[in-house]
Amino acid sequence: GENVEQHPSTLSVQEGDSAVIKCTYSDSASNYFPWYKQELGKGPQLIIDIRSNVGEKKDQRIAVTLNKTAKHFSLHITETQPEDSAVYFCAASPYSSASKIIFGSGTRLSIRP
Amino acid sequence: EAGVTQFPSHSVIEKGQTVTLRCDPISGHDNLYWYRRVMGKEIKFLLHFVKESKQDESGMPNNRFLAERTGGTYSTLKVQPAELEDSGVYFCASSRLAGEANEQFFGPGTRLTVL
């Protein structure tokens, strides 16, 4: 079945530096790739998503890239701030219609002051 | 607009007991999903409702789990009898549109501990 792998599991960066989280997926039919941020005591919240007809998308300090040939996608956070500390999940959805999301195992990002 | 709500936030039960989790989706959202995260692993899909119908229940682990969404509004997930490996955080999510990939809004989760 569909599998999403995520690395690293933990990441610590100095405030102001960039953070990169990488994911791979197995199902070539996947065409929707959301990224979720989970803060303590809360559920996952969508921060950015990308669809398979786009190679890159940016929203302020956050950018995602997608390489469908290699089945890789990644999240880039620039100028990190303390409030970026959280667990980040990449995910893939194997269908074009509203359906289940396959999550990666999560990355715990810590921003050092 | 109120978000997805879940009740209870925490539940501690003994092995063999029954627990019922509740999810109230965002008003007007036809799609409702259940997921769970066990032992710090990935968040895994359990099932998907479209209104009151089960669209996809391929992630339900076994017949000890029963999900319902009578009337197409709130949903319940019952675990009976609970086993130790059922411990984890159960998330509910909802989305508005059918027929296209779109944002799923997650609730805060119910942390279930089976002793």
Side-chain angles (χ1 to χ4, degrees):
Chain A
E2 170 72 73
N3 183 51
V4 175
E5 293 194 359
Q6 181 171 349
H7 300 280
S9 57
T10 59
L11 179 60
S12 178
V13 301
Q14 192 75 32
E15 182 178 351
D17 287 350
S18 296
V20 179
I21 301 170
K22 297 183 178 181
C23 293
T24 60
Y25 62 97
S26 60
D27 189 344
S28 56
S30 296
N31 58 9
Y32 174 61
F33 305 90
W35 286 86
Y36 285 84
K37 175 183 181 182
Q38 186 183 9
E39 296 175 301
L40 198 61
K42 297 182 180 179
Q45 291 200 317
L46 182 75
I47 53 172
I48 194 167
D49 57 19
I50 190 168
R51 298 175 193 271
S52 60
N53 57 346
V54 175
E56 184 173 353
K57 183 176 178 181
K58 193 171 182 180
D59 182 4
Q60 298 182 339
R61 297 187 295 108
I62 296 173
V64 291
T65 58
L66 171 64
N67 182 332
K68 283 216 76 178
T69 303
K71 296 182 187 173
H72 290 174
F73 57 117
S74 59
L75 176 73
H76 303 250
I77 306 174
T78 58
E79 300 173 22
T80 53
Q81 299 170 3
E83 55 265 34
D84 295 330
S85 295
V87 179
Y88 291 80
F89 293 94
C90 64
S93 185
Y95 309 107
S96 59
S97 60
S99 68
K100 64 184 177 185
I101 290 174
I102 309 299
F103 284 87
S105 53
T107 296
R108 182 173 297 278
L109 175 63
S110 301
I111 308 301
R112 303 191 303 271
Chain B
E1 176 181 78
V4 176
T5 58
Q6 293 186 245
F7 182 84
S9 57
H10 294 85
S11 180
V12 181
I13 61 172
E14 293 189 350
K15 176 183 171 181
Q17 289 186 321
T18 297
V19 64
T20 300
L21 313 181
R22 173 171 170 144
C23 168
D24 286 79
I26 293 172
S27 177
H29 282 196
D30 288 340
N31 295 286
L32 186 149
Y33 309 82
W34 283 98
Y35 294 85
R36 75 172 178 179
R37 189 179 190 208
V38 174
M39 290 287 288
K41 295 185 178 178
E42 71 271 23
I43 300 171
K44 280 197 170 180
F45 168 80
L46 297 178
L47 88 161
H48 169 205
F49 284 100
V50 177
K51 297 185 180 179
E52 67 274 11
S53 300
K54 291 177 184 175
Q55 179 78 9
D56 179 358
E57 50 185 328
S58 61
M60 294 290 263
N62 51 62
N63 59 10
R64 294 186 294 104
F65 289 74
L66 175 65
E68 294 180 320
R69 194 184 181 195
T70 307
T73 54
Y74 71 91
S75 174
T76 58
L77 179 65
K78 182 162 70 173
V79 185
Q80 179 183 31
E83 298 289 345
L84 299 179
E85 62 265 26
D86 300 333
S87 295
V89 182
Y90 289 76
F91 293 105
C92 175
S94 70
S95 69
R96 184 169 57 91
L97 296 172
E100 67 176 71
N102 56 79
E103 180 177 0
Q104 294 184 18
F105 295 84
F106 281 76
T110 293
R111 181 174 293 279
L112 175 63
T113 302
V114 183
L115 302 176

